[in-house]
Amino acid sequence: MTLWNGSYPFYPGANACFPFDTTRAVIVTVFLSILVMFIIILPGIRGRGRLFWFLRLVLGLFMGAVILTVQFTRDWETGWVQANTSYKSFSPVQVDADIGLHIGLAGVNVTLRGNPVNQINETINYNEHFPWNFGADYDRSYSEGLQKGLPSPILYVAEKFSTQSPCAVHRQYRIAGHFVSLTLWLAFCTWLVSILLFSMSILLYGGHMLLLTAALILFSLLFFSMAGNTLKCPIQFGPVSLRTGYGESFWLTLATGLLCLLLGLGIVILNSVQPEKLKLVFSLDKSSKEEVWDKSCQPAEPSCSAQDGFMVPLSELCHVTATPL
C-alpha cells in the first residue's frame, strides 16, 4: 500500500465540464423558436408562394444563426494527437491520452482525455479554457493553471500561446480574433438590414446588402487565415506532434459567405434581366393584378367620346329668328 493510495494529494481533480456549449444552445433555440412560429402560419399562405416563402425563411434564419453562433464557438482551428506522455510535473508516471487543441476567436481550449479515461487511480478528462478576449488576461489564466497544478500536457500546449513564449503567436491570434469578431458583428447587422429591405419589397437594395454581408464574412475568414499562416513552434509529444487545421466553424462560415454571395448575385442579376421572375420568387406578382382590379372598380370618369356625344355641330343647329317686341 503506497502513500496517499497512489494518488497525488496536491492536485485537484478534473474539472466537471458541461455536456454542451450553453451559448450555442441558446442561440440555436431562439432561431428554432422563430422558425417554428413561422411554420405554424405557413398553411395560411396559398399557392406556390408557400414554397418560396418557406425557402426564404429557412435560408434567412440559417445565415443569421451561423453568423451569430460562430462568434462564440471554439473550433475555428482544431487538432488532435494520441500520445504517451507524462501526466504530472516531477513524476515519472506516463499515461496514454488524446490531447486536443481548439482555437477560437476568444481564446484557446486544451483537452486531455485518457485512453482509457480511468488510469493511475484518476479520471483523466480535462478541458481547460485560456481566454484572450477583451478584459481577459491570458498570462494570468496560465499562471492560475500552474498554481492549480494542471496536467503537464495542458500546461505545455497553453504555454505555446502565452506572451512570453518564443513562438510569438499570441499577438497574431489575439488581434485576428478581435478583427474577425468585429467583422462578423458588422455582417450580422447588414444581414438584419437585408431582411428588413426584403420585407419592404425593396429587392435590389436587399440584394446589395446580401453582397455586403458576403464580403464581410469572407474578409473575416481572410483575417483568421492570416493568423493561422504565421510561423508556429512544433507542439511535440515524444515522436508525434500536434498539428492543427481549420475547424467546423471556419468551414461553416465559408459556406455561409458563399451562400450570401450567390443569393445576392442572383437577386441583382434577376432584377436587371428578368424582374418578373424575381417578383414571383418574392410573391410580388399579385400586386399588379390587384392594382388592375382596383382600377377597374373605380368609378369611370366622363371620357372625351362621351362628351362629344352631347355636342352638336354648328351646321346642324336650327336657325331661330327672333321677332322684335
Side-chain angles (χ1 to χ4, degrees):
M1 183 174 180
T2 60
L3 186 64
W4 307 108
N5 270 339
S7 63
Y8 303 95
F10 305 105
Y11 299 112
N15 290 340
C17 301
F18 207 68
F20 55 87
D21 189 354
T22 54
T23 304
R24 185 186 305 183
V26 170
I27 295 173
V28 172
T29 301
V30 170
F31 277 87
L32 284 180
S33 301
I34 297 174
L35 178 61
V36 171
M37 180 180 64
F38 281 103
I39 288 179
I40 293 176
I41 66 175
L42 185 62
I45 302 175
R46 299 180 179 179
R48 56 185 176 182
R50 179 187 304 174
L51 177 61
F52 291 133
W53 186 84
F54 182 74
L55 289 177
R56 296 197 309 270
L57 174 66
V58 173
L59 291 176
L61 290 179
F62 171 77
M63 291 185 292
V66 170
I67 296 173
L68 190 59
T69 303
V70 294
Q71 293 268 8
F72 308 99
T73 55
R74 300 172 181 176
D75 55 353
W76 279 76
E77 190 174 345
T78 60
W80 284 92
V81 67
Q82 185 176 358
N84 183 271
T85 180
S86 62
Y87 181 55
K88 296 290 186 180
S89 301
F90 311 106
S91 172
V93 177
Q94 301 281 320
V95 294
D96 292 324
D98 296 325
I99 305 166
L101 173 61
H102 313 277
I103 303 175
L105 303 181
V108 170
N109 267 61
V110 185
T111 303
L112 178 66
R113 186 180 306 153
N115 191 15
V117 177
N118 295 317
Q119 298 183 47
I120 59 171
N121 296 328
E122 287 192 29
T123 301
I124 304 175
N125 189 11
Y126 289 83
N127 185 16
E128 297 293 331
H129 180 62
F130 301 91
W132 57 45
N133 55 334
F134 289 110
D137 189 349
Y138 186 93
D139 291 338
R140 181 179 179 182
S141 300
Y142 176 72
S143 299
E144 291 176 354
L146 286 173
Q147 295 174 4
K148 290 191 300 183
L150 293 177
S152 296
I154 294 179
L155 295 175
Y156 170 67
V157 175
E159 189 271 337
K160 296 289 184 179
F161 294 87
S162 64
T163 58
Q164 306 299 327
S165 174
C167 298
V169 295
H170 174 85
R171 184 173 180 271
Q172 286 83 350
Y173 274 104
R174 185 172 181 268
I175 294 176
H178 293 166
F179 274 105
V180 171
S181 180
L182 176 62
T183 310
L184 288 177
W185 278 118
L186 291 176
F188 184 75
C189 294
T190 55
W191 169 80
L192 286 176
V193 174
S194 67
I195 294 298
L196 179 62
L197 291 175
F198 287 139
S199 64
M200 298 172 61
S201 302
I202 308 176
L203 306 182
L204 180 60
Y205 291 104
H208 290 164
M209 295 306 297
L210 272 184
L211 291 177
L212 181 57
T213 303
L216 291 172
I217 293 175
L218 296 179
F219 271 118
S220 68
L221 297 176
L222 179 62
F223 291 147
F224 188 82
S225 62
M226 290 173 62
N229 290 330
T230 55
L231 182 62
K232 301 178 183 178
C233 295
I235 304 177
Q236 199 76 22
F237 293 95
V240 296
S241 59
L242 176 59
R243 302 182 182 273
T244 60
Y246 294 129
E248 296 179 0
S249 295
F250 182 90
W251 297 116
L252 186 60
T253 307
L254 177 60
T256 305
L258 295 177
L259 178 62
C260 291
L261 180 63
L262 292 176
L263 291 177
L265 287 176
I267 291 173
V268 172
I269 293 174
L270 278 179
N271 185 79
S272 60
V273 177
Q274 292 181 339
E276 293 80 11
K277 289 187 177 181
L278 181 61
K279 292 181 179 180
L280 178 63
V281 172
F282 283 87
S283 304
L284 299 178
D285 56 334
K286 296 180 180 180
S287 59
S288 59
K289 297 180 181 179
E290 291 175 357
E291 290 177 359
V292 173
W293 175 258
D294 293 339
K295 290 181 179 179
S296 62
C297 294
Q298 291 178 356
E301 297 179 356
S303 60
C304 296
S305 59
Q307 293 177 358
D308 294 341
F310 293 101
M311 296 178 65
V312 181
L314 294 175
S315 59
E316 297 181 3
L317 290 176
C318 299
H319 297 280
V320 179
T321 57
T323 56
L325 296 176

